Amino acid sequence: MSTPAPTTPTIQATSAPQGAGTSSTPTTAPARSSQREGGNSLGTFGVKSGLAQMLKGGVIMDVINAEQARIAEEAGACAVMALERVPADIRAEGGVARMSDPQMIKEIVDAVTIPVMAKVRIGHFVEAQILQAIGVDYIDESEVLTPADDEHHINKHGFKVPFVCGARDLGEALRRISEGAAFIRTKGEAGTGNVVEAVRHSRAVFSQIRRASVMNEEELYLFAKEIQAPFHLLKETARLKRLPVVNFAAGGIATPADAALMMQLGCDGVFVGSGIFHSGDPAKRARAIVQAVTHHNNPKILSEVSEDLGAAMVGLTIDGNLKGGLMAKRGH
Ligand SMILES: O=C(CO)[C@H](O)[C@H](O)COP(=O)(O)O
C-alpha cells in the first residue's frame, strides 16, 4: 500500500457519557470480520469504529500461541491479541520488539473463533500491510513494540482493517483518531502488573472530557490548541461527553479488582497481557477477570471471583529504575 490519502473520520459513536461509572453488560463473542475471508466491506471509519463497539464490556487477552488463545476463548475473552512475547517478557528480555511471525499469528487465527488482533510498531506501515494481508481483525499500533518511526504514526485511513492505538490523555487519543484509529486504549504501563499508570491515563482522559463538555466554542478552540487536538474531534467529544470511539484500559491490569477498577472509572473494557499468563493459574485468573469486568459494580461477586486464584504476577514499581523505561512515553 502506498501512502494512503487521509479522509476525515465520520464519527459514529454511542452517546453514553464516560467516566461516571458504567454498567456495561458482557458482549457475546463478536463475529469475526469479513476481512479474514478477504471480504471488502471494511474500510469506512464508521464501519471500523462500529466493529469495535461489539467488544464493549469485554476483556482482550494477550496470547503467544494457539494453546493460550484457546484458554482465553474458553475463559470468555472477547478477542485475543497475538504476540510473540507478553509485555513483561519484552521488558525483561530487552532488544528490539517487532511484529510477530505471521505463521504464529495464523495459527492463533485458526485456533479461535473470536477476533484476533496483532501488533505493529509505531509508524511501521509495512508491518500493518502484512497483518492486513494475513486477515487479522484489528491492528494495534503499539508502544509495547519498539517504535519504527519516532515522529509519525501510521496513516490508518487507508487500511480496511480497524486500528487500535494507545493514549495517555485526551489530546493523544484525538490525534490517533484523526489518523484513523477506530479504537483507543489508555496506555498504562505494560508489563509491570502495576495498575497505577492505567488509572492515571484513564483519569486524565475522563477529566479532560469533563472539562471540555462545559466549554463554549471559544474555550474549545483554546483547549484544542493546548492539548494539541483537532478542533472538530474535540468539539464532537465534548458534545458526546465521551471519546467518539470505544475506549479500553490497558497496561498493568493484573487482578479482577484491577479490571473492575478500570470499568468503574468508566472504561469500556480492558486489555490484559502479562497479568494472566504470568500468574500461577492462567485459566482461573482469566475467567475471574472476565467475570470481574461483567460484574464490575457488584462487590460480592468481585470478592467471590477474587478468591483462591493462586499467585498473581510479581509486579514492578514505576520509578527511575524501571527496566526498559516507560513504554507509554513512546509515540505522542
Ligand atoms: O499493548 C497492549 C494492548 O494493546 C497489551 O495487551 C497490554 O498493554 C498488556 O499490558 P500488560 O501486559 O501490562 O497487561
Side-chain angles (χ1 to χ4, degrees):
M1 182 177 302
S2 58
T3 308
T7 53
T8 305
T10 306
I11 299 298
Q12 294 189 351
T14 57
S15 55
Q18 222 170 358
T22 54
S23 59
S24 24
T25 47
T27 51
T28 48
R32 277 173 166 170
S33 71
S34 58
Q35 181 75 18
R36 185 79 49 79
E37 285 75 41
N40 62 1
S41 61
L42 298 181
T44 70
F45 187 81
V47 170
K48 290 191 279 193
S49 58
L51 267 176
Q53 298 282 338
M54 290 191 282
L55 303 175
K56 274 168 102 169
V59 181
I60 300 171
M61 299 181 194
D62 283 1
V63 296
I64 62 165
N65 54 40
E67 188 198 338
Q68 288 189 356
R70 282 189 212 99
I71 290 172
E73 179 164 41
E74 278 162 22
C78 67
V80 289
M81 174 76 71
L83 74 175
E84 259 163 24
R85 294 179 285 168
V86 291
D89 293 329
I90 292 176
R91 187 179 289 285
E93 290 161 20
V96 174
R98 311 180 178 93
M99 176 190 81
S100 299
D101 180 343
Q103 177 62 34
M104 179 276 268
I105 297 171
K106 283 190 209 161
E107 284 167 14
I108 290 173
V109 163
D110 289 341
V112 293
T113 61
I114 52 179
V116 176
M117 306 183 169
K119 289 182 192 303
V120 298
R121 284 176 270 177
I122 290 174
H124 207 315
F125 52 86
V126 174
E127 287 187 345
Q129 291 164 8
I130 291 168
L131 290 189
Q132 179 165 269
I134 295 174
V136 300
D137 297 287
Y138 297 82
I139 294 175
D140 184 2
E141 187 181 18
S142 179
E143 71 285 351
V144 167
L145 305 185
T146 310
D149 189 322
D150 55 13
E151 289 190 344
H152 306 94
H153 280 73
I154 297 171
N155 178 349
K156 295 164 271 290
H157 293 292
F159 288 82
K160 288 179 182 170
V161 61
F163 277 72
V164 54
C165 284
R168 283 171 299 171
D169 55 36
L170 180 58
E172 192 173 8
L174 296 182
R175 290 195 292 281
R176 297 294 84 79
I177 295 169
S178 80
E179 296 157 0
F183 184 163
I184 291 294
R185 55 177 172 74
T186 42
K187 286 178 171 173
E189 194 49 45
T192 61
N194 187 338
V195 79
V196 66
E197 294 297 302
V199 169
R200 188 195 314 281
H201 299 159
S202 289
R203 282 199 181 275
V205 170
F206 295 139
S207 92
Q208 287 175 315
I209 292 174
R210 277 191 289 272
R211 280 170 61 198
S213 71
V214 293
M215 288 181 184
N216 65 25
E217 193 133 331
E218 289 77 13
E219 291 164 337
L220 280 175
Y221 277 117
L222 189 63
F223 194 42
K225 223 182 324 177
E226 189 186 309
I227 65 172
Q228 297 174 30
F231 173 74
H232 74 286
L233 288 176
L234 179 62
K235 189 175 170 187
E236 182 66 355
T237 301
R239 186 184 72 77
L240 294 169
K241 297 185 170 44
R242 59 156 294 140
L243 283 181
V245 300
V246 167
N247 175 18
F248 275 39
I253 296 163
T255 67
D258 289 349
L261 172 67
M262 300 315 301
M263 296 301 289
Q264 287 196 29
L265 284 173
C267 297
D268 292 324
V270 300
F271 287 81
V272 186
S274 322
I276 290 176
F277 289 102
H278 266 262
S279 74
D281 188 341
K284 197 169 183 186
R285 185 166 292 263
R287 280 195 302 274
I289 289 176
V290 170
Q291 289 302 307
V293 166
T294 303
H295 303 287
H296 59 267
N297 278 324
N298 186 329
K300 188 166 182 307
I301 295 179
L302 294 176
S303 115
E304 284 161 13
V305 302
S306 299
E307 272 176 26
D308 193 25
L309 291 183
M313 92 176 260
V314 179
L316 299 169
T317 44
I318 315 270
D319 58 24
N321 298 323
L322 184 62
K323 188 157 190 238
L326 283 177
M327 289 174 172
K329 281 194 172 162
R330 300 166 170 175
H332 44 83

